Amino acid sequence: MKIAVAGGRETADYLTGLLRAAGHKVAVIQEDRAFCEHLSAKYDMSVTCGDPCREDVLADAGIRGCGLFLALLPEDADNLEVCQMAKRLFEAKKTACLVRNPANVAIFESLGVDHAVSPAGLLAAYAGEG
């Protein structure tokens, strides 16, 4: 499956390794040029350097029709925006993103993100089990 990963630095690095090892084709989009060069050298692949909130950058990354688009940007609003663009403009089959504010999970999913994950929400739920 073709999977796109936008933002996330170290998380994107880790996921890229796992996904490639599992046989997936991975398109990575990062804003920091030095980090793009690091990922490109580490995984011997092309990495798109630019702001994933820009339509032309997503087009350059070749995400059209990807099976899964992962948004790992630091701002919730940016993750919503890129997931919506991936799905509506680039026909991504599924989208998933990280959200910092647990209240955004239900909102994002009601707005078309297939799966929104809140690390804080997961940890709070885990703490409630004890």
Side-chain angles (χ1 to χ4, degrees), residues 1-6 15-16 19-20 22-29 45-46 48 57-70 86 90-96:
M1 175 179 7
K2 183 175 185 179
I3 300 174
V5 180
L15 284 172
T16 299
L19 295 169
R20 286 177 53 97
H24 298 288
K25 182 177 180 183
V26 182
V28 178
I29 306 124
M45 61 182 270
S46 176
T48 303
V57 172
L58 294 179
D60 289 346
I63 69 159
R64 181 163 305 283
C66 65
L68 177 61
F69 183 91
L70 301 172
F90 295 97
E91 301 167 353
K93 291 170 184 57
K94 297 263 184 193
T95 58

mmCIF file of all heavy atoms in Angstrom, residues 1-6 15-16 19-20 22-29 45-46 48 57-70 86 90-96:
data_model
loop_
_atom_site.group_PDB
_atom_site.id
_atom_site.type_symbol
_atom_site.label_atom_id
_atom_site.label_comp_id
_atom_site.label_asym_id
_atom_site.label_seq_id
_atom_site.Cartn_x
_atom_site.Cartn_y
_atom_site.Cartn_z
ATOM 1 N N MET A 1 0.849 -1.175 0.000
ATOM 2 C CA MET A 1 0.000 0.000 0.000
ATOM 3 C C MET A 1 0.895 1.238 0.000
ATOM 4 O O MET A 1 1.957 1.259 0.603
ATOM 5 C CB MET A 1 -0.888 -0.001 1.247
ATOM 6 C CG MET A 1 -1.704 1.246 1.384
ATOM 7 S SD MET A 1 -2.863 1.442 2.792
ATOM 8 C CE MET A 1 -2.613 0.110 3.858
ATOM 9 N N LYS A 2 0.421 2.285 -0.638
ATOM 10 C CA LYS A 2 1.123 3.566 -0.613
ATOM 11 C C LYS A 2 0.610 4.360 0.583
ATOM 12 O O LYS A 2 -0.589 4.563 0.738
ATOM 13 C CB LYS A 2 0.883 4.343 -1.896
ATOM 14 C CG LYS A 2 1.645 5.649 -1.959
ATOM 15 C CD LYS A 2 1.462 6.296 -3.306
ATOM 16 C CE LYS A 2 2.299 7.534 -3.422
ATOM 17 N NZ LYS A 2 2.137 8.151 -4.736
ATOM 18 N N ILE A 3 1.547 4.783 1.430
ATOM 19 C CA ILE A 3 1.214 5.531 2.638
ATOM 20 C C ILE A 3 2.002 6.827 2.644
ATOM 21 O O ILE A 3 3.211 6.830 2.414
ATOM 22 C CB ILE A 3 1.539 4.700 3.901
ATOM 23 C CG1 ILE A 3 0.732 3.394 3.887
ATOM 24 C CG2 ILE A 3 1.255 5.522 5.165
ATOM 25 C CD1 ILE A 3 1.085 2.437 5.008
ATOM 26 N N ALA A 4 1.315 7.933 2.907
ATOM 27 C CA ALA A 4 1.969 9.243 3.002
ATOM 28 C C ALA A 4 2.051 9.635 4.471
ATOM 29 O O ALA A 4 1.113 9.427 5.234
ATOM 30 C CB ALA A 4 1.178 10.294 2.228
ATOM 31 N N VAL A 5 3.202 10.214 4.835
ATOM 32 C CA VAL A 5 3.436 10.663 6.207
ATOM 33 C C VAL A 5 3.846 12.124 6.148
ATOM 34 O O VAL A 5 4.879 12.464 5.567
ATOM 35 C CB VAL A 5 4.551 9.830 6.888
ATOM 36 C CG1 VAL A 5 4.767 10.308 8.308
ATOM 37 C CG2 VAL A 5 4.228 8.342 6.854
ATOM 38 N N ALA A 6 3.044 12.986 6.767
ATOM 39 C CA ALA A 6 3.315 14.423 6.753
ATOM 40 C C ALA A 6 3.674 14.897 8.153
ATOM 41 O O ALA A 6 2.908 14.710 9.097
ATOM 42 C CB ALA A 6 2.099 15.190 6.252
ATOM 43 N N LEU A 15 8.078 5.537 11.873
ATOM 44 C CA LEU A 15 7.025 4.946 11.048
ATOM 45 C C LEU A 15 7.521 4.595 9.653
ATOM 46 O O LEU A 15 7.148 3.547 9.105
ATOM 47 C CB LEU A 15 5.834 5.900 10.938
ATOM 48 C CG LEU A 15 4.933 5.999 12.154
ATOM 49 C CD1 LEU A 15 3.917 7.118 11.969
ATOM 50 C CD2 LEU A 15 4.231 4.679 12.407
ATOM 51 N N THR A 16 8.344 5.446 9.085
ATOM 52 C CA THR A 16 8.883 5.174 7.747
ATOM 53 C C THR A 16 9.636 3.857 7.738
ATOM 54 O O THR A 16 9.445 3.026 6.844
ATOM 55 C CB THR A 16 9.784 6.335 7.278
ATOM 56 O OG1 THR A 16 8.994 7.523 7.206
ATOM 57 C CG2 THR A 16 10.391 6.054 5.917
ATOM 58 N N LEU A 19 7.038 0.949 8.167
ATOM 59 C CA LEU A 19 6.174 0.785 6.999
ATOM 60 C C LEU A 19 6.939 0.230 5.804
ATOM 61 O O LEU A 19 6.446 -0.652 5.097
ATOM 62 C CB LEU A 19 5.503 2.113 6.652
ATOM 63 C CG LEU A 19 4.529 2.647 7.705
ATOM 64 C CD1 LEU A 19 4.123 4.073 7.385
ATOM 65 C CD2 LEU A 19 3.318 1.741 7.836
ATOM 66 N N ARG A 20 8.149 0.717 5.599
ATOM 67 C CA ARG A 20 8.967 0.205 4.486
ATOM 68 C C ARG A 20 9.349 -1.255 4.727
ATOM 69 O O ARG A 20 9.338 -2.064 3.805
ATOM 70 C CB ARG A 20 10.181 1.082 4.266
ATOM 71 C CG ARG A 20 9.806 2.424 3.597
ATOM 72 C CD ARG A 20 10.992 3.346 3.440
ATOM 73 N NE ARG A 20 12.117 2.750 2.764
ATOM 74 C CZ ARG A 20 12.392 2.880 1.460
ATOM 75 N NH1 ARG A 20 11.591 3.597 0.693
ATOM 76 N NH2 ARG A 20 13.455 2.326 0.933
ATOM 77 N N ALA A 22 7.617 -3.387 6.186
ATOM 78 C CA ALA A 22 6.405 -4.171 5.950
ATOM 79 C C ALA A 22 6.025 -4.213 4.466
ATOM 80 O O ALA A 22 5.003 -4.790 4.102
ATOM 81 C CB ALA A 22 5.245 -3.610 6.770
ATOM 82 N N GLY A 23 6.834 -3.572 3.623
ATOM 83 C CA GLY A 23 6.613 -3.619 2.184
ATOM 84 C C GLY A 23 5.761 -2.510 1.604
ATOM 85 O O GLY A 23 5.398 -2.561 0.433
ATOM 86 N N HIS A 24 5.450 -1.506 2.406
ATOM 87 C CA HIS A 24 4.654 -0.387 1.904
ATOM 88 C C HIS A 24 5.533 0.614 1.169
ATOM 89 O O HIS A 24 6.710 0.781 1.493
ATOM 90 C CB HIS A 24 3.945 0.326 3.055
ATOM 91 C CG HIS A 24 2.977 -0.545 3.777
ATOM 92 N ND1 HIS A 24 1.774 -0.944 3.231
ATOM 93 C CD2 HIS A 24 3.033 -1.121 5.011
ATOM 94 C CE1 HIS A 24 1.132 -1.706 4.084
ATOM 95 N NE2 HIS A 24 1.874 -1.838 5.182
ATOM 96 N N LYS A 25 4.943 1.292 0.214
ATOM 97 C CA LYS A 25 5.597 2.417 -0.453
ATOM 98 C C LYS A 25 5.255 3.651 0.374
ATOM 99 O O LYS A 25 4.078 3.922 0.620
ATOM 100 C CB LYS A 25 5.103 2.559 -1.884
ATOM 101 C CG LYS A 25 5.794 3.679 -2.621
ATOM 102 C CD LYS A 25 5.360 3.768 -4.056
ATOM 103 C CE LYS A 25 6.120 4.932 -4.683
ATOM 104 N NZ LYS A 25 5.738 5.160 -6.051
ATOM 105 N N VAL A 26 6.274 4.402 0.805
ATOM 106 C CA VAL A 26 6.051 5.521 1.720
ATOM 107 C C VAL A 26 6.467 6.834 1.058
ATOM 108 O O VAL A 26 7.572 6.945 0.519
ATOM 109 C CB VAL A 26 6.840 5.318 3.041
ATOM 110 C CG1 VAL A 26 6.568 6.461 4.007
ATOM 111 C CG2 VAL A 26 6.471 3.979 3.677
ATOM 112 N N ALA A 27 5.565 7.812 1.123
ATOM 113 C CA ALA A 27 5.861 9.177 0.679
ATOM 114 C C ALA A 27 5.934 10.034 1.938
ATOM 115 O O ALA A 27 4.973 10.079 2.713
ATOM 116 C CB ALA A 27 4.766 9.691 -0.245
ATOM 117 N N VAL A 28 7.069 10.688 2.141
ATOM 118 C CA VAL A 28 7.278 11.490 3.341
ATOM 119 C C VAL A 28 7.347 12.959 2.962
ATOM 120 O O VAL A 28 8.028 13.325 1.998
ATOM 121 C CB VAL A 28 8.565 11.055 4.080
ATOM 122 C CG1 VAL A 28 8.808 11.920 5.302
ATOM 123 C CG2 VAL A 28 8.487 9.586 4.467
ATOM 124 N N ILE A 29 6.662 13.790 3.754
ATOM 125 C CA ILE A 29 6.673 15.238 3.544
ATOM 126 C C ILE A 29 7.097 15.885 4.856
ATOM 127 O O ILE A 29 6.441 15.701 5.888
ATOM 128 C CB ILE A 29 5.278 15.774 3.134
ATOM 129 C CG1 ILE A 29 4.752 15.016 1.914
ATOM 130 C CG2 ILE A 29 5.340 17.265 2.849
ATOM 131 C CD1 ILE A 29 3.423 14.391 2.148
ATOM 132 N N MET A 45 15.557 6.985 -0.217
ATOM 133 C CA MET A 45 14.303 7.311 -0.889
ATOM 134 C C MET A 45 14.182 8.820 -1.046
ATOM 135 O O MET A 45 14.871 9.574 -0.369
ATOM 136 C CB MET A 45 13.106 6.779 -0.087
ATOM 137 C CG MET A 45 12.993 7.369 1.310
ATOM 138 S SD MET A 45 11.631 6.722 2.293
ATOM 139 C CE MET A 45 10.331 7.869 1.874
ATOM 140 N N SER A 46 13.298 9.215 -1.915
ATOM 141 C CA SER A 46 13.021 10.633 -2.096
ATOM 142 C C SER A 46 12.087 11.100 -0.980
ATOM 143 O O SER A 46 11.138 10.411 -0.630
ATOM 144 C CB SER A 46 12.363 10.842 -3.457
ATOM 145 O OG SER A 46 12.004 12.185 -3.624
ATOM 146 N N THR A 48 9.907 14.620 0.190
ATOM 147 C CA THR A 48 9.457 15.933 -0.257
ATOM 148 C C THR A 48 9.647 16.947 0.858
ATOM 149 O O THR A 48 9.167 16.759 1.971
ATOM 150 C CB THR A 48 7.974 15.884 -0.673
ATOM 151 O OG1 THR A 48 7.823 14.901 -1.696
ATOM 152 C CG2 THR A 48 7.500 17.234 -1.166
ATOM 153 N N VAL A 57 2.720 21.198 -2.605
ATOM 154 C CA VAL A 57 3.688 20.325 -1.936
ATOM 155 C C VAL A 57 3.134 18.895 -1.884
ATOM 156 O O VAL A 57 3.858 17.931 -2.153
ATOM 157 C CB VAL A 57 4.037 20.852 -0.523
ATOM 158 C CG1 VAL A 57 4.878 19.854 0.253
ATOM 159 C CG2 VAL A 57 4.772 22.194 -0.631
ATOM 160 N N LEU A 58 1.858 18.759 -1.555
ATOM 161 C CA LEU A 58 1.244 17.426 -1.544
ATOM 162 C C LEU A 58 1.264 16.815 -2.949
ATOM 163 O O LEU A 58 1.517 15.615 -3.107
ATOM 164 C CB LEU A 58 -0.179 17.492 -0.999
ATOM 165 C CG LEU A 58 -0.325 17.892 0.467
ATOM 166 C CD1 LEU A 58 -1.805 17.929 0.866
ATOM 167 C CD2 LEU A 58 0.445 16.959 1.377
ATOM 168 N N ALA A 59 1.017 17.627 -3.956
ATOM 169 C CA ALA A 59 1.065 17.134 -5.338
ATOM 170 C C ALA A 59 2.473 16.662 -5.677
ATOM 171 O O ALA A 59 2.650 15.590 -6.271
ATOM 172 C CB ALA A 59 0.604 18.225 -6.304
ATOM 173 N N ASP A 60 3.487 17.453 -5.299
ATOM 174 C CA ASP A 60 4.878 17.075 -5.564
ATOM 175 C C ASP A 60 5.257 15.765 -4.870
ATOM 176 O O ASP A 60 6.078 15.008 -5.375
ATOM 177 C CB ASP A 60 5.842 18.174 -5.101
ATOM 178 C CG ASP A 60 5.799 19.416 -5.973
ATOM 179 O OD1 ASP A 60 5.228 19.361 -7.088
ATOM 180 O OD2 ASP A 60 6.334 20.462 -5.535
ATOM 181 N N ALA A 61 4.629 15.500 -3.726
ATOM 182 C CA ALA A 61 4.927 14.273 -2.979
ATOM 183 C C ALA A 61 4.281 13.049 -3.622
ATOM 184 O O ALA A 61 4.599 11.917 -3.242
ATOM 185 C CB ALA A 61 4.452 14.414 -1.531
ATOM 186 N N GLY A 62 3.390 13.263 -4.570
ATOM 187 C CA GLY A 62 2.767 12.148 -5.272
ATOM 188 C C GLY A 62 1.818 11.332 -4.417
ATOM 189 O O GLY A 62 1.792 10.111 -4.501
ATOM 190 N N ILE A 63 1.000 12.013 -3.613
ATOM 191 C CA ILE A 63 0.123 11.287 -2.693
ATOM 192 C C ILE A 63 -1.200 10.851 -3.318
ATOM 193 O O ILE A 63 -1.973 10.141 -2.684
ATOM 194 C CB ILE A 63 -0.163 12.112 -1.420
ATOM 195 C CG1 ILE A 63 -1.031 13.329 -1.737
ATOM 196 C CG2 ILE A 63 1.130 12.504 -0.727
ATOM 197 C CD1 ILE A 63 -1.763 13.872 -0.528
ATOM 198 N N ARG A 64 -1.462 11.254 -4.545
ATOM 199 C CA ARG A 64 -2.763 10.960 -5.169
ATOM 200 C C ARG A 64 -3.088 9.472 -5.064
ATOM 201 O O ARG A 64 -2.297 8.608 -5.404
ATOM 202 C CB ARG A 64 -2.793 11.388 -6.628
ATOM 203 C CG ARG A 64 -4.159 11.110 -7.279
ATOM 204 C CD ARG A 64 -4.391 11.858 -8.569
ATOM 205 N NE ARG A 64 -4.222 13.301 -8.451
ATOM 206 C CZ ARG A 64 -5.109 14.148 -7.902
ATOM 207 N NH1 ARG A 64 -6.218 13.676 -7.393
ATOM 208 N NH2 ARG A 64 -4.867 15.437 -7.881
ATOM 209 N N GLY A 65 -4.292 9.194 -4.534
ATOM 210 C CA GLY A 65 -4.771 7.830 -4.457
ATOM 211 C C GLY A 65 -4.095 6.956 -3.410
ATOM 212 O O GLY A 65 -4.267 5.740 -3.426
ATOM 213 N N CYS A 66 -3.359 7.570 -2.488
ATOM 214 C CA CYS A 66 -2.666 6.749 -1.487
ATOM 215 C C CYS A 66 -3.688 6.004 -0.626
ATOM 216 O O CYS A 66 -4.813 6.459 -0.429
ATOM 217 C CB CYS A 66 -1.716 7.581 -0.624
ATOM 218 S SG CYS A 66 -2.477 8.820 0.425
ATOM 219 N N GLY A 67 -3.268 4.870 -0.118
ATOM 220 C CA GLY A 67 -4.160 4.075 0.714
ATOM 221 C C GLY A 67 -4.384 4.676 2.082
ATOM 222 O O GLY A 67 -5.449 4.533 2.676
ATOM 223 N N LEU A 68 -3.360 5.372 2.583
ATOM 224 C CA LEU A 68 -3.440 5.978 3.910
ATOM 225 C C LEU A 68 -2.594 7.239 3.941
ATOM 226 O O LEU A 68 -1.453 7.230 3.479
ATOM 227 C CB LEU A 68 -2.934 4.988 4.971
ATOM 228 C CG LEU A 68 -2.866 5.477 6.420
ATOM 229 C CD1 LEU A 68 -4.247 5.864 6.936
ATOM 230 C CD2 LEU A 68 -2.234 4.403 7.298
ATOM 231 N N PHE A 69 -3.155 8.294 4.491
ATOM 232 C CA PHE A 69 -2.437 9.554 4.689
ATOM 233 C C PHE A 69 -2.367 9.809 6.189
ATOM 234 O O PHE A 69 -3.403 9.869 6.857
ATOM 235 C CB PHE A 69 -3.157 10.716 3.989
ATOM 236 C CG PHE A 69 -2.425 12.011 4.098
ATOM 237 C CD1 PHE A 69 -1.512 12.395 3.136
ATOM 238 C CD2 PHE A 69 -2.635 12.854 5.189
ATOM 239 C CE1 PHE A 69 -0.820 13.590 3.250
ATOM 240 C CE2 PHE A 69 -1.946 14.044 5.310
ATOM 241 C CZ PHE A 69 -1.033 14.419 4.337
ATOM 242 N N LEU A 70 -1.156 9.934 6.725
ATOM 243 C CA LEU A 70 -0.937 10.179 8.150
ATOM 244 C C LEU A 70 -0.455 11.600 8.372
ATOM 245 O O LEU A 70 0.567 12.006 7.807
ATOM 246 C CB LEU A 70 0.105 9.209 8.698
ATOM 247 C CG LEU A 70 -0.202 7.726 8.564
ATOM 248 C CD1 LEU A 70 0.998 6.882 8.976
ATOM 249 C CD2 LEU A 70 -1.425 7.376 9.394
ATOM 250 N N ALA A 86 -5.961 15.815 1.554
ATOM 251 C CA ALA A 86 -5.559 14.502 1.049
ATOM 252 C C ALA A 86 -6.766 13.720 0.551
ATOM 253 O O ALA A 86 -6.723 13.084 -0.514
ATOM 254 C CB ALA A 86 -4.815 13.729 2.137
ATOM 255 N N PHE A 90 -6.885 14.778 -3.303
ATOM 256 C CA PHE A 90 -5.937 13.765 -3.769
ATOM 257 C C PHE A 90 -6.460 12.338 -3.643
ATOM 258 O O PHE A 90 -5.728 11.384 -3.850
ATOM 259 C CB PHE A 90 -4.599 13.929 -3.039
ATOM 260 C CG PHE A 90 -3.915 15.219 -3.361
ATOM 261 C CD1 PHE A 90 -4.046 16.315 -2.520
ATOM 262 C CD2 PHE A 90 -3.173 15.363 -4.518
ATOM 263 C CE1 PHE A 90 -3.424 17.517 -2.825
ATOM 264 C CE2 PHE A 90 -2.555 16.566 -4.839
ATOM 265 C CZ PHE A 90 -2.685 17.640 -3.983
ATOM 266 N N GLU A 91 -7.726 12.208 -3.266
ATOM 267 C CA GLU A 91 -8.412 10.920 -3.236
ATOM 268 C C GLU A 91 -7.724 9.871 -2.375
ATOM 269 O O GLU A 91 -7.686 8.684 -2.720
ATOM 270 C CB GLU A 91 -8.620 10.409 -4.666
ATOM 271 C CG GLU A 91 -9.431 11.381 -5.502
ATOM 272 C CD GLU A 91 -9.400 11.083 -6.986
ATOM 273 O OE1 GLU A 91 -8.643 10.200 -7.435
ATOM 274 O OE2 GLU A 91 -10.153 11.765 -7.711
ATOM 275 N N ALA A 92 -7.171 10.305 -1.234
ATOM 276 C CA ALA A 92 -6.627 9.339 -0.277
ATOM 277 C C ALA A 92 -7.780 8.478 0.219
ATOM 278 O O ALA A 92 -8.866 8.981 0.513
ATOM 279 C CB ALA A 92 -5.963 10.063 0.891
ATOM 280 N N LYS A 93 -7.533 7.182 0.309
ATOM 281 C CA LYS A 93 -8.611 6.273 0.725
ATOM 282 C C LYS A 93 -8.928 6.419 2.205
ATOM 283 O O LYS A 93 -10.080 6.417 2.597
ATOM 284 C CB LYS A 93 -8.235 4.844 0.372
ATOM 285 C CG LYS A 93 -8.229 4.616 -1.132
ATOM 286 C CD LYS A 93 -7.632 3.287 -1.510
ATOM 287 C CE LYS A 93 -7.529 3.106 -3.009
ATOM 288 N NZ LYS A 93 -6.785 4.094 -3.707
ATOM 289 N N LYS A 94 -7.914 6.564 3.037
ATOM 290 C CA LYS A 94 -8.087 6.727 4.483
ATOM 291 C C LYS A 94 -7.137 7.817 4.974
ATOM 292 O O LYS A 94 -6.046 7.995 4.435
ATOM 293 C CB LYS A 94 -7.755 5.433 5.236
ATOM 294 C CG LYS A 94 -8.638 4.271 4.904
ATOM 295 C CD LYS A 94 -9.716 4.144 5.910
ATOM 296 C CE LYS A 94 -10.541 2.895 5.594
ATOM 297 N NZ LYS A 94 -11.738 2.846 6.302
ATOM 298 N N THR A 95 -7.561 8.511 6.029
ATOM 299 C CA THR A 95 -6.712 9.508 6.666
ATOM 300 C C THR A 95 -6.696 9.258 8.164
ATOM 301 O O THR A 95 -7.671 8.784 8.741
ATOM 302 C CB THR A 95 -7.219 10.943 6.403
ATOM 303 O OG1 THR A 95 -8.558 11.062 6.888
ATOM 304 C CG2 THR A 95 -7.161 11.299 4.922
ATOM 305 N N ALA A 96 -5.566 9.590 8.776
ATOM 306 C CA ALA A 96 -5.434 9.497 10.230
ATOM 307 C C ALA A 96 -4.505 10.609 10.675
ATOM 308 O O ALA A 96 -3.605 11.021 9.935
ATOM 309 C CB ALA A 96 -4.880 8.133 10.639
#
